[in-house]
């Protein structure tokens, strides 16, 4: 039985562990800008979380909801063109 990344992510809400933000983002097929848009934060905040800053409050709950119900790749938020 091969444990896939998605299977591993699905166990996170039941465990009292840190969320692996990068793995969650990659499982959704999103880049940092898209995850930031979903979370309502800056891309730099996503980068900091991927590098060890612990998410809290609403951001943590949104990340846990992504683990429980990952979106289809086609439903990813759209990144506005960089100016």
């Amino acid at each position: 039985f091969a444990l896939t990344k998605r299977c591993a992510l699905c166990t996170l809400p039941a465990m009292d562990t840190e969320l692996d933000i990068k793995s969650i983002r990659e499982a959704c097929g999103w880049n940092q800008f898209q995850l930031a848009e979903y979370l309502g934060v800056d891309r730099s905040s996503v980068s900091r979380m991927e590098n060890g800053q612990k998410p809290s409050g609403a951001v943590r709950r949104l990340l846990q909801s992504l683990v429980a119900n990952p979106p289809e790749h086609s439903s990813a938020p759209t990144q506005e063109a960089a100016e």
Side-chain angles (χ1 to χ4, degrees), residues 49-72:
M49 287 185 281
E50 288 185 358
N51 287 295
Q53 180 180 342
K54 295 180 181 181
S56 61
V59 170
R60 183 172 180 82
R61 288 189 296 277
L62 284 169
L63 289 166
Q64 288 172 326
S65 75
L66 281 177
V67 172
N69 299 301
E72 297 295 324

Side-chain angles (χ1 to χ4, degrees), residues 2-33:
L3 183 64
T4 64
K5 187 181 289 187
R6 179 168 275 175
C7 290
L9 291 175
C10 291
T11 63
L12 286 176
M15 299 167 48
D16 192 21
T17 61
E18 292 185 29
L19 295 170
D20 184 343
I21 309 304
K22 186 173 182 178
S23 292
I24 293 169
R25 176 176 60 79
E26 290 174 345
C28 292
W30 292 352
N31 60 37
Q32 287 184 342
F33 288 101

